[in-house]
Structure formats: structure tokens, C-alpha cells
Amino acid sequence: MAFDYDKYLRPGKLPHIWCPGCGHGIVMKGLIRAIDACGLEKNNTAIVSGIGCASRLPGYMDFCTLHTAHGRAAAFATGVKMAKPEMNVILVGGDGDGTAIGGNHFIHACRRNIDMTYLIMNNNIYGMTGGQFSPCTPTGAKASTTPYGNPDPAFDIAKLAIGAGATFVARGTAYHATQIDKLIAEAIQHKGFSVVEILDDCPTTYGRRNKFKSVIEMMNRLKEIAVPVKAAEKMSPEQLEGKILTGVLYKAEKPEYTGEYAKVIERAKGAK
Amino acid sequence: MAKKVAFMQGNEAAAHGALYAGCKFFGGYPITPSTEVAEVMSAELPKLGGKFIQMEDEIGAMAAIIGASLTGAKVLTSTSGPGLSLKQENIGYACITEVPCVIINVMRGGPSTGMPTGPSQSDVMCAKWGTHGDHPAITLVPASVQELFEETVRAFNLAEKYRTPVMVMPDEIVAHMRERIVFPEPGELEVIDRTKPTVAPEQYKPYDTQFGDVPPLAAFGSEYRFHVTGLNKMADGFPTTKAAVVQAEEERQVRKVEANVDDIVKFEEYMMDDAEVVVVAFGSTSRSARFAVNEARKQGIKAGLFRLITFWPFPEKQLLAISKKVKAFITPEMNLGMCTGVVKGCVEGNAPVHGIFRVDGEPINPTQILDMIKEVK
């Protein structure tokens, strides 16, 4: 029997705002399958986002949903999770929202290792505002504000998350649709701050400026550059040139923030 | 049983007022001269099973308390000048999403870093106009340690009652002075909790005006699921650009305060019955003003004090009525004329308004005010 996505979608809220060819819908379906696989209860799950195309995702989802200010999803979500640690909290957003204006909240959520899952849809561009370069736009690429090519180096979101203290970091692509739910499900089940980056495409504002002739060409590129971490172990540095590792990139066990704060409460109550 | 009496600092009293009101969550960021509020909350909240979190920045602190409030908790943050500037983004978010929260902003010199340890009253306009867009504003300006406690309780009540952010803005002198405080017994001061929905979960709308201008607010993690967005929204919480809906919703949000001015506005009239010269003052400046009024009375001058306890909404109609029977107003304040301009607007030229302004980090002393009373009497 086909998977019943409607069970998790708010009636009457589709069609979504995303352009034809955008991968965000593929990612949303992956998120829904992951939530289903983990058995999360709707009433006990918050989906929190910032601003941008990807951040419109929570509106379609039949959960406790919070569409916050630009870049602030992690900070709002931290308040939700701290106040009600028994809730499942999932953050969603794009690369500009999460790593530029929201960069500070992102790294500190990683550092605290607070038990939330952050799903970042990285399409290398600010799509909603019409295609300005983001911290994840490749050097040299064209954007509406880099008409002569992007002089900025790009973030590696996974390395940023690992360096900042996240204890589960994974990467997938919108092409590898059936892997997305598995990565997100593992992230949700991980106790601590988990980051899942999904390499995505924006044909409307990135593809057309960077010589991609079609959505299919953009998707094929994702297929070509992705190398599973296991396969990469057998490859030479030359073979890995221009490739991007996918799968679970990092996993560690460290004290989780709301659990640590529960100990603070115990100590405070015991204090004379 | 004797009441609990203490010798306490203003910021500490504010924190205890928050706890009295039932605050269960504090998100903050260190900033002089408000940090003691955070310090007390970090020590006291966990004893009560509440949560304290020091966030990575002022913006994050404001965001965290809104998130926590949406789970049903009463929430607080504290800050000062530069922090208030940074918090404005999410104060606007709390206004449009109608999420109750309290902000204690201790006023220090500005703009920018200004004079971090000096007193000021120059954030009163920022409290109303700091965040972009039309929105309601409630700002309380206590003048003593006791009043800072009590007004913090009232701030929580107003936030919960009207589903909106409320600011408590002591100047640095009130926040850092130490004086006697008598703690109210539990139940002695009114404590208001937000109205919760009674409709079936599938019928719940977070902005359902069939319940009036302040619709009930459900909690995340309860049986109610709903959507919250900073976009202009419809009754069900989802975004809209429909002109009539946006207009009506914007007007309703502002009306929550405007239609309830009498419930929110609080002031003290001292020696006002026959006053010919009226000093309009607030915060620590009102203490100097009271002294000056007493001295003037000793010298046979009919002076009075109109002390603002609520700054926003402003007691417009009261001042207009007073303006029809007095010779002059004097408006001493630790800024360059913010309150003075508002008073001028209220009194419609019925009486002259003489400002006394200081922005040098020094309090306005009684002599300055007395000299002006003598000059304009």
C-alpha cells in the first residue's frame, strides 16, 4: 500500500509555495516518512523554522508549528525544548537562514547538544528573495548579487556542526530521496543535537544563473557528486576531488542539555 | 504572622516579583545594569522546577522566551539599552503572534553603548516605537524597590490578560538602589493566568475573535495543535494577504490596549487637588520631584506631582483634563525631552510645558525642579 502522507499534512494547505523542480517537497516527504518511522505523536512534536522558502514547510505539517523570524528557529526551538523537554522538536530551514543570519543560534544549539533535530535544506542560494548568494554558494558561482562570480568561500555545514559540538551529523541529497527519511529518522532517534543537511536544488534562482539547462541536470549533478562515506574510504584523494560525502558523517555520545539542566534542578532543590 | 521584610536591590525585587507572578522560564543575556535579574532567576527558578537559560545573544534570549511561552509557561527576560535594540525584532514577533512575555529593561545612557553604569530614562520611546510596524505597547515605570516588585507582578498580569509583550522599565537608579521591601503574602496581589481554550481541539483557532479581542491561547504539547507565524495571519493562524483581514487583525491587536487604557494606565497624584504648577515625572526623577513639591508647598507655592506608573499607554485624558485648570507643567526627565513631547501633545496648548533634561549620567536633583517651579509659578 502506498504511504499515506495526508495523515501528517494539514488539510487544505497545499499546493505548497515551492517552484516546479525545487527539491524541498522531496525533503518534506522524507521528513514525513521519518516522523512516521519514529512514531512521533503530532501533539507532542513541534516543527520550528525561520524565514525563507524551506522555512514555509511547517505550515503544511499537522503538528505544533512555529514559523519564526529569519535565522531564529534554533533560539525559539531552544525555548520550546527547555520549557517542555518531553516534546520532540524538529527545526527546518535553508542554508542562508541557518548559517548566515542564524549562524550564532546554530552553533550554540550544537554546543549545548540540546536534543533537537535540525534539517537544513542547502540549495546554495537565498531563493525567496530572488537568488542572492548565501554562505553556502560555491566560490565563483553567479547569484543576483555576485554578477561577476562569488568571491566568498562557502561553509561546509557538516564540519561547522561537528566543530561546534553537534553529536549527530548526516548529509544526503534531494536526488537520493529514499535515503532522506532514513537519515532523518536516525537523527530524531539520536539523543542530542542532530544536524541533517540535504543538498537541494533551486532551478529558479540558482540553476538558471549557473548554466544548468534543466532540473534534471541539477539533480544529475547531485547524483554525480555524492559519495557514500563507506565508498569514500576506498577512494583516493584524487577520486574524491569535487565529491561530497553523504550518509552519517559523525556520531558521538555526550551529555544532553535538558538532561543536564534536570540535574541543575536537582542540585538547586537540594541546596540549603 | 509578621510579613517578610527585606532590604533589597531593585533588580532583585523585580526577579522576586516575577517569581511571585508565577514565572517559570527566564532566557537572558548578561548586560549592565540589569544582570542581577538574571542572577537571581538562575538561582531561584530551578528550586521551583523552572528553567533558566543564558542564551548566545539578546535576540536569542527574546526568541527563547517566546518559544517557552508557547508551551504555556510565564516567561521573563531582562536587558538594557543595547539589548533592547537587539530584542526589538522578536518583540515585534511577540506582538503580532500575541504571545505573552515580560521584558525588564533597565534604562542606562545611550544611544549605543552610551554610559552602561549611568542612569537614564531614554528608552521610553524605544519601548513604543522600537520595533517596526503598528503594534500595541505596554510599558511600566516604577519608582521604588517595592513598586518594582509589584509592577513586575502587574506586568505579568497584563501580558497574560492581553496576550502581548509588556515592558517594565526602571531607570538604573531604581534598579540598583537598595531599600526596604515588604513582601506581599501569596494571594495578596492579584495574579492573572492566560485564558485557555475550551473548544474542541479540531475547532481551535489561535486568533478566534468570537472570544473577543484577546482570544484564548493554547499550549504546544497539549491536545491543541496550531500554527504560529510572524506573517500577517488569519483567525486560524495561517498567513494571509487578504486586505480586509490584515486591516482588521492589525486594528484588533492595537485595540487590545487602546480599548483598555483605563485598566492599564496607573498613576499617582500627589498634592494635585489645588495644584497650579504640576510636575509630571516617573522613575527615580519622580522622587526628586516629590521632594521639590514638598519644598514648594512649604514656601506657599501650589505645586503638585503627577507621577506616571504606566508610561504606555500614556494617561492622555487625565493630563488633558488637568491642563485646563493649571498654570504650567514641568517635565523633568533623564533624556532630551521624550516625555515632554508626549505631554505637550496631550495638553493641546492649554498650559506651557517646561522640560528639565539631563543626559549626563547624573540624577535630576530636587533643587533643579524647585528652581523651575519658582520660575514658572
Side-chain angles (χ1 to χ4, degrees):
Chain A
M1 206 178 93
F3 187 89
D4 181 16
Y5 292 98
D6 287 346
K7 191 175 148 192
Y8 297 98
L9 291 167
R10 285 194 168 109
K13 296 301 170 193
L14 293 177
H16 56 65
I17 64 157
W18 301 317
C19 301
C22 168
H24 292 352
I26 297 169
V27 181
M28 183 164 78
K29 288 176 82 173
L31 173 62
I32 290 171
R33 292 194 303 275
I35 285 171
D36 184 78
C38 295
L40 304 189
E41 284 180 31
K42 289 181 183 183
N43 286 345
N44 202 36
T45 302
I47 305 180
V48 185
S49 68
I51 294 291
C53 296
S55 287
R56 295 301 279 266
L57 185 151
Y60 309 121
M61 302 279 283
D62 190 13
F63 295 84
C64 303
T65 52
L66 182 54
H67 177 221
T68 74
H70 198 19
R72 312 303 175 211
F76 277 82
T78 297
V80 173
K81 183 69 184 180
M82 271 294 277
K84 251 185 196 165
E86 65 273 25
M87 285 189 82
N88 312 297
V89 180
I90 298 166
L91 293 71
V92 298
D95 47 299
D97 181 67
T99 67
I101 193 164
N104 201 30
H105 309 304
F106 174 43
I107 59 172
H108 287 274
C110 293
R111 174 179 63 83
R112 289 187 192 101
N113 194 34
I114 186 165
D115 188 22
M116 308 192 293
T117 297
Y118 190 4
L119 174 58
I120 304 183
M121 288 161 247
N122 179 4
N123 59 8
N124 315 105
I125 202 83
Y126 286 96
M128 187 166 266
T129 45
Q132 298 73 37
F133 75 100
S134 86
C136 298
T137 301
T139 304
K142 293 276 178 66
S144 77
T145 47
T146 56
Y148 309 108
N150 181 22
D152 284 32
F155 265 140
D156 180 326
I157 293 175
K159 283 183 181 165
L160 179 64
I162 295 165
T167 49
F168 180 96
V169 179
R171 188 190 285 130
T173 86
Y175 175 85
H176 301 88
T178 55
Q179 188 192 27
I180 294 172
D181 48 327
K182 292 172 186 71
L183 294 176
I184 299 173
E186 198 173 339
I188 288 170
Q189 279 156 352
H190 175 80
K191 187 84 177 162
F193 195 70
S194 51
V195 178
V196 180
E197 177 192 15
I198 303 296
L199 299 178
D200 211 338
D201 68 313
C202 179
T204 306
T205 74
Y206 186 83
R208 70 186 170 90
R209 284 196 180 89
N210 289 283
K211 295 179 181 166
F212 286 97
K213 292 195 177 73
S214 67
V215 173
I216 294 164
E217 202 179 307
M218 295 191 84
M219 282 289 167
N220 277 332
R221 180 187 150 269
L222 292 176
K223 179 187 172 187
E224 285 157 17
I225 61 171
V227 177
V229 275
K230 282 262 169 64
E233 286 169 7
K234 298 169 198 149
M235 290 167 69
S236 67
E238 292 75 28
Q239 286 173 309
L240 286 170
E241 186 71 33
K243 303 288 185 188
I244 289 175
L245 301 189
T246 57
V248 178
L249 308 178
Y250 180 76
K251 200 171 177 178
E253 295 296 324
K254 281 186 200 165
E256 188 276 326
Y257 193 74
T258 60
E260 292 304 296
Y261 197 82
K263 293 177 193 167
V264 168
I265 291 175
E266 277 175 33
R267 291 199 293 272
K269 285 182 171 172
K272 291 281 180 275
Chain B
M1 198 179 87
K3 282 198 170 181
K4 195 182 161 202
V5 178
F7 185 64
M8 184 172 267
Q9 186 209 52
N11 278 335
E12 293 169 2
H16 285 283
L19 296 168
Y20 184 97
C23 176
K24 283 285 161 18
F25 188 95
F26 181 97
Y29 186 82
I31 187 164
T32 302
S34 74
T35 306
E36 294 88 353
V37 181
E39 288 172 343
V40 173
M41 295 308 270
S42 73
E44 299 301 321
L45 269 176
K47 288 183 194 168
L48 306 166
K51 310 288 169 61
F52 168 92
I53 187 165
Q54 185 169 305
M55 291 297 287
E56 52 275 10
D57 57 32
E58 297 275 3
I59 302 168
M62 192 66 216
I65 67 165
I66 297 169
S69 184
L70 280 166
T71 69
K74 288 188 181 181
V75 299
L76 177 72
T77 188
S78 62
T79 192
S80 185
L84 185 63
S85 293
L86 287 164
K87 282 180 157 60
Q88 292 294 350
E89 170 192 75
N90 288 329
I91 289 170
Y93 187 88
C95 287
I96 196 170
T97 56
E98 303 180 64
V99 175
C101 52
V102 175
I103 301 118
I104 292 172
N105 175 67
V106 180
M107 290 189 281
R108 71 187 225 192
S112 188
T113 310
M115 211 184 299
T117 55
S120 167
Q121 295 177 311
S122 56
D123 295 349
V124 288
M125 284 297 162
C126 190
K128 186 170 171 64
W129 307 114
T131 195
H132 63 279
D134 288 298
H135 57 88
I138 301 177
T139 302
L140 314 179
V141 282
S144 69
V145 170
Q146 182 81 39
E147 197 169 69
L148 186 41
F149 180 102
E150 291 169 6
E151 286 303 291
T152 302
V153 176
R154 193 166 76 97
F156 275 90
N157 289 345
L158 294 170
E160 297 284 318
K161 188 173 179 182
Y162 295 111
R163 272 187 73 174
T164 195
V166 175
M167 293 193 205
V168 184
M169 306 229 302
D171 54 71
E172 185 273 343
I173 293 172
V174 174
H176 273 165
M177 70 163 77
R178 288 180 184 275
E179 58 186 1
R180 184 173 186 267
I181 179 171
V182 182
F183 286 100
E185 299 288 338
E188 190 177 333
L189 298 183
E190 184 185 26
V191 169
I192 297 174
D193 298 326
R194 69 189 65 167
T195 307
K196 294 193 174 105
T198 51
V199 297
E202 60 275 15
Q203 282 161 7
Y204 176 66
K205 293 175 183 172
Y207 310 99
D208 192 346
T209 52
Q210 69 161 310
F211 299 102
D213 280 347
V214 190
L217 178 59
F220 278 2
S222 70
E223 68 272 34
Y224 294 90
R225 290 194 301 279
F226 57 104
H227 184 58
V228 178
T229 177
L231 290 159
N232 282 103
K233 79 282 179 187
M234 305 177 282
D236 64 3
F238 288 91
T240 185
T241 53
K242 281 182 189 151
V245 177
V246 173
Q247 177 88 15
E249 277 290 284
E250 281 279 304
E251 287 179 357
R252 177 182 61 78
Q253 285 166 42
V254 173
R255 191 168 61 235
K256 288 193 297 184
V257 168
E258 283 186 351
N260 293 290
V261 163
D262 290 340
D263 182 46
I264 303 166
V265 165
K266 193 172 165 188
F267 53 86
E268 179 199 356
E269 292 183 290
Y270 179 70
M271 303 262 184
M272 282 293 293
D273 286 347
D274 60 346
E276 293 175 351
V277 178
V278 175
V279 185
V280 180
F282 59 101
S284 68
T285 307
S286 70
R287 299 168 74 114
S288 292
R290 190 186 304 272
F291 192 95
V293 165
N294 286 337
E295 287 301 307
R297 287 277 172 177
K298 282 180 198 165
Q299 296 174 29
I301 304 167
K302 289 180 176 171
L305 168 65
F306 187 94
R307 182 169 73 87
L308 306 168
I309 302 171
T310 304
F311 196 97
W312 301 116
F314 206 77
E316 294 171 8
K317 65 179 181 189
Q318 287 83 1
L319 285 168
L320 177 61
I322 292 165
S323 71
K324 290 169 183 166
K325 50 187 187 183
V326 301
K327 281 187 189 164
F329 290 94
I330 296 172
T331 48
E333 53 184 329
M334 289 186 281
N335 61 58
L336 292 176
M338 294 182 182
C339 179
T340 305
V342 182
V343 173
K344 280 182 180 168
C346 293
V347 303
E348 296 178 359
N350 293 326
V353 181
H354 305 277
I356 301 172
F357 310 139
R358 277 195 98 146
V359 288
D360 58 355
E362 294 295 324
I364 293 178
N365 61 53
T367 314
Q368 275 182 283
I369 302 170
L370 182 61
D371 288 347
M372 183 69 92
I373 291 173
K374 288 187 201 166
E375 195 181 316
V376 304
K377 74 172 189 317

